[in-house]
Amino acid sequence: MTDVQVHETLRLAGLDAEAEIRIDRWGIPHIRTANEKDLFFVQGFNAARDRLWQLDLWRKRGLGLLAADFGPGYLAQDHAARHFLYRGDMAKEWVSYAPDTQAICTAFAAGINAYVALCEADPERLPPEFALFGTRPSRWQPSDVVRIRSHALTRNGISEILRANIMALADAETDLLRFELDPPVSPKPEEGISLADIPLAATRLFKLATAAVTFDKARLAASLDDVWTWTEVTDLGDIVQAIAEEGSNNWAVHGSRTKTGRPILASDPHRAHAVPSLRYLVHLEAPGLNAIGTGEPTAPGISLGHNDRTAFGLTIFGADQEDVYVYETKDGDPECYRYGDGWEKIIRIKESFAVKGHPEQTLTLSFTRHGPILHENPKIRQVIAMRSVWLSPGSAAYLGSLSYMRSRSVQAFSQTLGCWGTPSVNHVSADIDGNIGWFTAGFTPVRRNWEGLLPVPGHGSHEWDGFLPAEQLPRAYNPADGFVASANEMNLPADRDPKAPSIGHEWAEVSRAQRIKSVLRADPEHTLAASMALQTDVHSRPAATICAVLQEVAGRQPLDDRGERAARLFAGWDYRLEAASAAAALFEVWWMKHLRPALLARFAPNPTVRQLLLPGDVDRMLALLGDPGTLWDVSERDAMLLSTLSAGFADCENRLGADPAAWRWGDMHRALFEHATSHIKTKEATDDPDDWNVGPLPLGGSRSTPMHAGYRMGDFGVNAGASVRLVMDVGDWDNSVCINAPGQSGDPRSTHYGDLADPWSKGEYVPLLYSDVRVTQETIHRITLLPA
């Protein structure tokens, strides 16, 4: 038993009855209240207690209020963000997720505001970032929780614009090196659309609206003359790679295939790494509800976890939720665009923006009937806009969980999914009666006459015909295999009617999914430990595939000295990208820095096109290497393998030293959880300018392993992976485990700011405690809350 080290009592206006927060030694808060209104009030209060800077920055980014705190360098981002706010009927919005959504969000926002008020009375509680910038947290409105859409994941508007550019410079076959299409389809431009007239500049508004907030001295010092210089997010390769790095794993194993006879459910969502973590673990208990798990700290409830009867997890499902429209404007009147047999006015909305150190600025937001205008070109009388499900009621990210987190069974869980709008996901669920299920969900537009892969005319010929009903999306209940699993792969049923409306054609590479399913299929007595091992599995399908081809090539022709030494290093290797592995270091340097670029150069000789293809479709590239077919000569393939292998070996010598025995993948592949302020802090501002960063930590894996560990191509620094991991013993809940990297708290002064990073990097877990007895045993900090 752990002794309670801190016990404090606070009085809060807005609280109806006594409540408590018990924080265990891993930083997980266990909230208990007398009623549900107080439960979500305290959840908001507690989220602010641990994550106030994160919450405040998230709100200001989403509402387009950054420039008020940080100056003109953030005005363009504010302008972009406001284009993607929900502006529709709030009455429809509130009832889209659960009947009591408005009451829940009202209580949640009031709880955040109660902590802001506490900080005003006791400024020592404010996270230190506020002092660094000289800012203060703002109060929330209930609608702030739902109106901000731009932090969610959707697709594929940016991809449509990239495909148009690639096809204009090359062809659709070349674009398959960026995204292989499945189900297969040959995209063709619609009549009246010139792909060469779709500029890359049309991606800027959306990318800026969805970008994280960054700080550097030049941006903070920007003047009003500099506003529109701060519109580029990053270079093209990094943008596309960031999209490719998003992913997740989940599975549910039926009790007939577990050692205990109880289902096991595992879920580990993957996102860009950050400090504080994107997600937050919390336990919510009130009469009628007892749920524990994780979600984003800016939203009430939980989206992954369990209640007393049902567990649930999710991964991204590749439904296409966006379309890009191209309009002809009226000759002599660029304010009108063609629609149907007539012309419609562009909607221009003037909004005011507060700007630190300057008078309030007025900027114009522009829309067509379909959505925000991304680009205007009066010279060719063209406007480009985006339609997104974000503009529809019910599209706030993850809020559909307010219905399903209270489900009493897998079947009941599935019946709530009409309330789930974004992001489009693969849900898995399991209940204490032994049932398991897989259910895809998310608003999926019905396109009657196109596939959604290229920009289309905006004059009315290509309109959505509502959304597919939730029950018509793919799903399975207690399948014969005895398990369900997903990892963002193409998982549309093989027998789906090819004439049915398109759901999506762009998916993550199949490597993680294949590995997960093969391991589960081979394990008739699955255990919690086996699920933990699978979540942290670093087996690389690209390594196994490419090394097999290399072995075949080496068997029929001689290798040079470096090639021979490389082959010896690969001999007997199990294709696991362990942090301590020399073979893993060599393979990743060879594959990603030499073989992959050579392959892209062979099939995309135009360097501009090559840049647009990055990071490249792994499945397509492995197919080209494994089976050249008629696309290229085997001898050319062989020569490329051997020449790039020698170059990769020499590269490793330069990076890691002359002795291959001393090479370690983790010496290059390291996770650094970098605080947003790390580029502006100075010795004058803090004792150690790096003390708000966590790491770097050596890490195994890659974007192709079940333990997703995506990295920057420039320096192999890990920048994406599991933000949180959960493995749940369905029915014996106290056996469940979790990890949240780098820690639960967002306050750099807290012991829980980075305490979970080291165990996370080693594949370790901490208990996800549920019973009152176990929570009491491990409580180290108790907060008693009383009505004011």
Side-chain angles (χ1 to χ4, degrees):
M1 179 180 291
T2 302
D3 292 332
V4 176
Q5 298 169 5
V6 179
H7 187 185
E8 57 182 323
T9 300
L10 300 171
R11 291 189 176 274
L12 300 179
L15 190 67
D16 289 347
E18 182 175 338
E20 71 172 356
I21 306 171
R22 292 177 293 171
I23 299 135
D24 67 30
R25 59 193 175 102
W26 301 282
I28 301 171
H30 303 262
I31 298 169
R32 185 158 56 191
T33 66
N35 58 73
E36 283 199 9
K37 180 258 185 183
D38 279 354
L39 182 64
F40 295 108
F41 176 93
V42 177
Q43 186 184 8
F45 176 87
N46 177 75
R49 179 191 65 81
D50 253 346
R51 301 286 188 94
L52 184 57
W53 166 255
Q54 182 185 32
L55 265 63
D56 190 64
L57 195 64
W58 180 94
R59 176 184 172 276
K60 288 169 179 171
R61 186 203 67 77
L63 293 177
L65 302 173
L66 293 171
D69 277 1
F70 307 115
Y74 296 82
L75 184 55
Q77 189 167 359
D78 285 347
H79 175 255
R82 292 199 195 179
H83 279 86
F84 293 92
L85 282 170
Y86 177 69
R87 296 172 178 270
D89 186 333
M90 285 303 296
K92 291 181 180 178
E93 172 73 3
W94 286 126
V95 298
S96 295
Y97 310 100
D100 53 354
T101 302
Q102 185 172 8
I104 289 172
C105 291
T106 299
F108 185 77
I112 295 173
N113 294 340
Y115 191 77
V116 172
L118 184 63
C119 290
E120 291 170 346
D122 182 5
E124 290 296 314
R125 293 180 181 270
L126 272 179
E129 293 93 337
F130 290 104
L132 181 67
F133 288 104
T135 60
R136 290 291 180 267
S138 298
R139 282 172 164 75
W140 285 54
Q141 296 295 322
S143 60
D144 297 344
V145 179
V146 298
R147 289 189 64 224
I148 298 171
R149 311 294 215 216
S150 54
H151 66 292
L153 298 176
T154 58
R155 70 205 59 79
N156 67 343
I158 296 296
S159 183
E160 289 183 26
I161 295 170
L162 292 175
R163 180 171 291 108
N165 277 263
I166 291 166
M167 289 178 60
L169 294 169
D171 53 28
E173 182 80 11
T174 301
D175 185 63
L176 296 179
L177 284 165
R178 182 183 65 89
F179 251 131
E180 198 159 39
L181 300 179
D182 201 0
V185 63
S186 298
K188 296 179 178 60
E190 297 290 337
E191 184 178 352
I193 300 289
S194 169
L195 299 184
D197 290 336
I198 311 295
L200 286 174
T203 65
R204 286 177 185 161
L205 189 81
F206 181 83
K207 290 187 300 194
L208 191 56
T210 55
V213 183
T214 61
F215 298 103
D216 63 56
K217 292 178 181 179
R219 191 177 186 187
L220 289 165
S223 70
L224 286 177
D225 292 334
D226 303 324
V227 166
W228 302 109
T229 65
W230 295 97
T231 59
E232 294 292 342
V233 177
T234 182
D235 66 87
L236 285 170
D238 283 349
I239 291 162
V240 183
Q241 182 163 356
I243 294 168
E245 299 295 7
E246 307 290 7
S248 305
N249 306 319
N250 66 10
W251 55 86
V253 183
H254 193 271
S256 62
R257 294 185 62 83
T258 69
K259 195 166 187 178
T260 64
R262 296 186 298 273
I264 292 172
L265 190 145
S267 191
D268 58 305
H270 309 152
R271 295 288 293 273
H273 284 319
V275 55
S277 171
L278 175 68
R279 295 193 166 86
Y280 186 70
L281 292 158
V282 65
H283 186 178
L284 305 172
E285 184 179 0
L289 176 63
N290 188 358
I292 187 170
T294 188
E296 297 188 356
T298 52
I302 59 169
S303 52
L304 302 91
H306 69 81
N307 57 36
D308 60 318
R309 291 189 55 85
T310 308
F312 35 86
L314 56 81
T315 70
I316 293 298
F317 172 68
D320 181 354
Q321 297 186 302
E322 296 168 347
D323 278 303
V324 174
Y325 286 91
V326 182
Y327 309 82
E328 173 196 357
T329 56
K330 190 174 184 180
D331 191 12
D333 186 0
E335 291 299 301
C336 293
Y337 62 91
R338 184 180 298 281
Y339 190 80
D341 295 329
W343 302 90
E344 291 193 0
K345 274 274 194 186
I346 291 173
I347 301 166
R348 309 282 191 188
I349 301 173
K350 293 186 180 297
E351 292 204 355
S352 297
F353 295 78
V355 182
K356 180 183 178 182
H358 298 274
E360 193 172 80
Q361 302 294 303
T362 300
L363 298 177
T364 301
L365 312 181
S366 302
F367 304 86
T368 69
R369 62 163 39 228
H370 294 117
I373 290 179
L374 304 177
H375 191 265
E376 297 184 59
N377 187 344
K379 291 182 179 179
I380 60 172
R381 294 171 48 207
Q382 177 181 278
V383 166
I384 300 173
M386 177 183 284
R387 185 173 189 181
S388 170
V389 298
W390 283 349
L391 308 179
S392 303
S395 292
Y398 302 104
L399 271 194
S401 61
L402 292 179
S403 284
Y404 73 58
M405 72 176 186
R406 298 180 261 200
S407 298
R408 311 302 292 162
S409 67
V410 171
Q411 285 282 34
F413 177 93
S414 71
Q415 292 164 8
T416 70
L417 297 181
C419 299
W420 184 276
T422 67
S424 55
V425 296
N426 297 278
H427 289 290
V428 296
S429 182
D431 63 35
I432 61 173
D433 294 326
N435 302 298
I436 64 170
W438 161 69
F439 310 95
T440 59
F443 292 161
T444 305
V446 175
R447 300 173 180 87
R448 297 293 183 191
N449 58 323
W450 85 107
E451 293 88 11
L453 294 171
L454 284 169
V456 293
H459 53 48
S461 60
H462 292 70
E463 296 292 350
W464 293 356
D465 187 11
F467 299 138
L468 282 174
E471 61 274 10
Q472 290 184 23
L473 289 167
R475 51 179 54 192
Y477 182 70
N478 289 333
D481 284 345
F483 68 87
V484 291
S486 70
N488 320 114
E489 80 280 15
M490 203 298 281
N491 53 5
L492 299 178
D495 61 354
R496 188 170 188 267
D497 185 352
K499 296 180 181 178
S502 173
I503 289 177
H505 296 269
E506 299 178 346
W507 314 86
E509 67 170 284
V510 76
S511 299
R512 287 182 291 113
Q514 280 191 0
R515 174 65 174 173
I516 289 165
K517 291 175 183 178
S518 68
V519 170
L520 292 176
R521 198 171 288 117
D523 184 3
E525 293 191 330
H526 196 63
T527 63
L528 294 174
S531 267
M532 288 183 263
L534 188 50
Q535 283 187 337
T536 55
D537 184 285
V538 291
H539 181 271
S540 168
R541 169 176 163 257
T545 301
I546 294 170
C547 287
V549 177
L550 174 64
Q551 189 173 18
E552 175 191 331
V553 173
R556 60 173 178 259
Q557 58 182 284
L559 281 65
D560 64 16
D561 177 64
R562 284 195 172 101
E564 287 282 2
R565 295 169 69 192
R568 287 198 296 271
L569 200 59
F570 288 146
W573 183 39
D574 58 5
Y575 313 119
R576 295 177 58 81
L577 303 181
E578 301 283 2
S581 170
L586 173 58
F587 176 78
E588 286 297 302
V589 171
W590 171 37
W591 165 225
M592 295 301 285
K593 300 292 282 186
H594 298 276
L595 179 55
R596 178 191 64 117
L599 191 63
L600 291 174
R602 165 62 177 78
F603 288 97
N606 183 327
T608 300
V609 171
R610 261 200 321 278
Q611 185 73 5
L612 296 174
L613 296 175
L614 294 175
D617 187 283
V618 171
D619 296 329
R620 181 72 170 178
M621 290 188 287
L622 291 183
L624 286 170
L625 290 168
D627 183 15
T630 59
L631 294 176
W632 61 325
D633 187 72
V634 170
S635 63
E636 186 183 2
R637 188 273 315 266
D638 294 354
M640 180 185 291
L641 277 171
L642 298 184
S643 64
T644 58
L645 179 62
S646 293
F649 193 92
D651 194 351
C652 274
E653 288 178 315
N654 290 331
R655 293 173 184 271
L656 297 170
D659 181 9
W663 296 352
R664 300 288 183 270
W665 175 223
D667 288 347
M668 293 185 293
H669 189 245
R670 302 191 300 168
L672 175 65
F673 296 88
E674 190 172 15
H675 194 281
T677 64
S678 63
H679 296 290
I680 63 164
K681 290 168 63 183
T682 65
K683 288 286 187 182
E684 289 71 36
T686 179
D687 292 338
D688 178 359
D690 296 321
D691 67 355
W692 292 358
N693 294 339
V694 179
L697 301 162
L699 205 65
S702 73
R703 57 180 289 224
S704 297
T705 59
M707 190 183 86
H708 184 121
Y711 52 81
R712 293 183 299 269
M713 284 308 305
D715 63 358
F716 295 99
V718 179
N719 60 2
S723 56
V724 68
R725 297 185 181 116
L726 300 171
V727 178
M728 291 167 278
D729 187 342
V730 179
D732 200 348
W733 301 114
D734 277 339
N735 293 331
S736 303
V737 294
C738 64
I739 195 77
N740 186 22
Q744 279 282 95
S745 178
D747 190 327
R749 302 167 300 186
S750 170
T751 58
H752 299 301
Y753 179 73
D755 58 330
L756 299 181
D758 188 62
W760 168 86
S761 72
K762 296 174 181 175
E764 298 171 357
Y765 292 73
V766 302
L768 185 66
L769 302 176
Y770 188 66
S771 70
D772 187 64
V773 170
R774 291 290 288 121
V775 171
T776 299
Q777 288 174 344
E778 300 294 349
T779 295
I780 61 169
H781 183 181
R782 177 178 283 112
I783 304 173
T784 300
L785 302 174
L786 302 173

